[in-house]
Amino acid sequence: MGKLENLDFKKNNLRNINNYLQNIDFKKNLRNFVIKNPSGNHAICAGLKEDISVNIKGHVGYYCGGMNQNAKITIEGNAGTGLGENMMSGLIHVKGNVSQSAGATAHGGTIIVDGNASSRCGISMKGVNIIIKGSVGHMSAFMAQSGNLLICGDAGEALGDSIYETVIYIAGKPKSLGADCVEKNITKKDLIKIEELLNIGNIKQIKSSKFKKYGSARKLYNFKIDNVSEY
Amino acid sequence: MCGIVGIYLKKKSLHKKLGNYLSGMLDNMSSRGPDSAGFALYNKDNASKEYKYSVCFPYNFNVEKFKVSIRDEFKDILVKHISDHLIISTKTYPKAFLLFLHDNYKELKIIGYGKSIEIFKQVGNPKDIVKKFNLSKLQGSHAIGHTRMATESAITLDGSHPYSTGEDECLVHNGSLSNHNNLRRNLIKKGKKFNSFNDTEVAAGYISSQLSKNKSMKKTLTKCLSNLDGFYTFIAGTKNGFAVLRDEIACKPAVIAETKDYVAVASEFQAMAHLPNVNKAKIYEPEPGVVYTWGN
């Protein structure tokens, strides 16, 4: 596992802390890090590349874990706008709530939120798996392209507006569906996927059979031959 | 961008710390608004028959001469001088006193009045403005503040928040309105006066005109949802407390932290990271299109 190292925002600044975590010296056998007093700073742990584990003790600001590759980031608090935006791989686990646009454009990896996510969760997501134990706000999965968004609670207005091929699993109710988002039949394959996601999120209290599936009706983003005269 | 902050203290014993808490909040929001800053403090306990008039004077203004000559007109007058601002206390009613100031001291900018409110604002970096007005030493029950990144009107005192358009009322705003010109024309027809071309001043004027019809703060802000077009997170202050509203699209951020001692509102969590026990506070984002009020 390697040794544990403490990093503290009271003693050091964002630039130094991020620089240090982005350029790990593996000769020192350091793999586990704790960040103290994050105090809502922006862009904490942005651009990490290595398979390390970072535990952040408190609330973080915007774009935490943005562009992450391989790292496992745990936030013991809330996260601001754009958590894990454009993440490529790795894991981000938030123990509190997250603000707008969590997992925006993220290509891979997993985001777990123990609380709620506010509006535009998973906007334009491109392959990430997002697991929300609470509810999500309006316009979640807007233009979402691939990956899975699993919501244990409810969703706000216009869920999955203009959605492409992301799959939404939701145990609660969406307030309304966005353009071209429809309910779909749950297959055996879906149940296996839901159980896999529940397992990753360590969610035991909700059964996979409780979830409904939403996705694209594929009427908006496919070219219709009827419209050929427009071009 | 712009940063907005507000704090409401639930315990009287904390009132002496109000300025201290608020100054840290404004400092931390400098990054969202480096062009100008301002704040309004309320001190309910001092509320008496006296009115307080917050005015800003130009650099060549002779304060000592003003103090002497105004005392000839109004015997009960008290003038508190802080940097380029004066807080003038008198029992004279607003209508008469404001007219007197307007007729005799055109160079003074009246930025607000009421029985409890004191307003300070100026162009420059929030960190400097907080120091200049010695905010950390000021006291009160609740306060709201603003750091401005100017977009649709000039970086001047007239373009700085908070805007006060009624007795003990004020407004700070993060966002931009798109129907303010039309709304301003309508309000002017109904007798409202405006000092700037700023969109927020119009929103403040609209809120004041609704409140003056004896509408509650909750009803007034709910009406904003249908009559104000644009992006906004508002904090509206009154003698008794403040209210928060985000438009229904909710592009502009806001976070609320509540403990048994205080309620704090800010554009970003980092504005309140220095507040006592904030890590144990109930922290949440105000829902789009929902009015939140404290003390009102």
Side-chain angles (χ1 to χ4, degrees), chain B residues 117-170:
Chain B
I117 197 170
E118 292 182 12
I119 302 183
F120 303 86
K121 58 183 182 181
Q122 199 43 278
V123 295
N125 191 289
K127 285 182 200 241
D128 300 332
I129 288 164
V130 159
K131 269 191 212 138
K132 165 184 161 126
F133 293 121
N134 210 0
L135 171 59
S136 59
K137 293 279 181 294
L138 300 180
Q139 305 186 5
S141 53
H142 56 290
I144 64 178
H146 185 267
T147 62
R148 180 166 189 239
M149 190 176 279
T151 50
E152 50 50 81
S153 63
I155 303 170
T156 56
L157 178 73
D158 285 339
S160 310
H161 301 219
Y163 283 102
S164 178
T165 47
E167 184 178 323
D168 280 321
E169 291 163 14
C170 73

Side-chain angles (χ1 to χ4, degrees), chain A residues 2-37:
Chain A
K3 285 183 281 182
L4 182 91
E5 184 163 16
N6 284 316
L7 301 163
D8 193 338
F9 269 90
K10 277 197 176 152
K11 296 174 192 156
N12 218 327
N13 65 25
L14 174 76
R15 198 66 71 195
N16 286 337
I17 289 174
N18 274 356
N19 231 326
Y20 185 76
L21 292 171
Q22 287 158 357
N23 301 289
I24 299 285
D25 181 1
F26 284 108
K27 283 180 203 145
K28 287 184 185 166
N29 194 24
L30 286 167
R31 289 269 174 184
N32 292 291
F33 302 87
V34 169
I35 293 180
K36 289 182 177 167
N37 301 304

Side-chain angles (χ1 to χ4, degrees), chain A residues 40-44 60-64 80-83, chain B residues 1 32 253 267-268:
Chain A
N41 273 288
H42 298 328
I44 297 175
V60 296
Y62 293 4
Y63 312 121
C64 180
T81 298
L83 172 90
Chain B
M1 221 177 188
R32 288 186 72 92
S267 299
E268 297 173 20

Side-chain angles (χ1 to χ4, degrees), chain B residues 104-121:
Chain B
N104 296 283
Y105 297 97
K106 283 195 171 40
E107 65 274 40
L108 291 181
K109 294 243 185 216
I110 302 153
I111 52 178
Y113 70 92
K115 287 181 175 169
S116 146
I117 197 170
E118 292 182 12
I119 302 183
F120 303 86
K121 58 183 182 181

Side-chain angles (χ1 to χ4, degrees), chain B residues 40-287:
Chain B
L41 289 111
Y42 290 89
N43 205 331
K44 282 192 277 191
D45 306 332
N46 288 355
S48 61
K49 281 187 178 167
E50 268 185 1
Y51 286 91
K52 293 188 277 187
Y53 299 85
S54 305
V55 301
C56 178
F57 60 82
Y59 71 96
N60 54 357
F61 186 74
N62 190 333
V63 177
E64 293 314 312
K65 205 174 140 200
F66 171 78
K67 279 183 180 171
V68 173
S69 56
I70 201 161
R71 215 163 274 145
D72 289 342
E73 292 288 336
F74 304 95
K75 298 283 171 255
D76 68 335
I77 217 147
L78 269 173
V79 180
K80 195 164 76 179
H81 176 186
I82 305 176
S83 184
D84 57 1
H85 279 45
L86 302 173
I87 306 293
I88 308 167
S89 310
T90 169
K91 279 180 185 157
T92 314
Y93 286 122
K95 212 173 169 186
F97 193 72
L98 292 172
L99 192 69
F100 173 82
L101 284 183
H102 182 263
D103 289 347
N104 296 283
Y105 297 97
K106 283 195 171 40
E107 65 274 40
L108 291 181
K109 294 243 185 216
I110 302 153
I111 52 178
Y113 70 92
K115 287 181 175 169
S116 146
I117 197 170
E118 292 182 12
I119 302 183
F120 303 86
K121 58 183 182 181
Q122 199 43 278
V123 295
N125 191 289
K127 285 182 200 241
D128 300 332
I129 288 164
V130 159
K131 269 191 212 138
K132 165 184 161 126
F133 293 121
N134 210 0
L135 171 59
S136 59
K137 293 279 181 294
L138 300 180
Q139 305 186 5
S141 53
H142 56 290
I144 64 178
H146 185 267
T147 62
R148 180 166 189 239
M149 190 176 279
T151 50
E152 50 50 81
S153 63
I155 303 170
T156 56
L157 178 73
D158 285 339
S160 310
H161 301 219
Y163 283 102
S164 178
T165 47
E167 184 178 323
D168 280 321
E169 291 163 14
C170 73
L171 182 74
V172 293
H173 171 204
N174 173 204
S176 59
L177 300 177
S178 45
N179 66 337
H180 61 284
N181 284 329
N182 221 359
L183 201 57
R184 186 188 293 111
R185 277 191 290 272
N186 287 340
L187 289 165
I188 287 171
K189 272 185 207 158
K190 287 175 188 161
K192 273 267 162 208
K193 287 196 174 89
F194 294 98
N195 297 318
S196 74
F197 293 104
N198 185 281
D199 55 344
T200 308
E201 192 185 15
V202 178
Y206 176 75
I207 290 170
S208 294
S209 73
Q210 292 296 317
L211 287 174
S212 66
K213 291 176 190 164
N214 289 325
K215 288 208 171 102
S216 69
M217 184 53 103
K218 199 154 197 157
K219 271 191 189 159
T220 296
L221 289 185
T222 307
K223 268 201 113 176
C224 286
L225 288 170
S226 43
N227 290 319
L228 298 181
D229 192 8
F231 299 118
Y232 46 88
T233 300
F234 288 139
I235 309 177
T238 63
K239 191 162 55 184
N240 299 319
F242 60 64
V244 175
L245 174 68
R246 292 173 84 193
D247 71 83
E248 283 167 309
I249 294 172
C251 283
K252 296 298 174 189
V255 58
I256 297 169
E258 189 159 5
T259 72
K260 62 182 190 338
D261 294 333
Y262 60 82
V263 180
V265 189
S267 299
E268 297 173 20
F269 174 77
Q270 61 171 329
M272 39 206 191
H274 65 291
L275 296 177
N277 290 318
V278 76
N279 287 320
K280 288 178 195 150
K282 182 187 166 203
I283 295 172
Y284 57 100
E285 287 187 353
E287 295 271 334

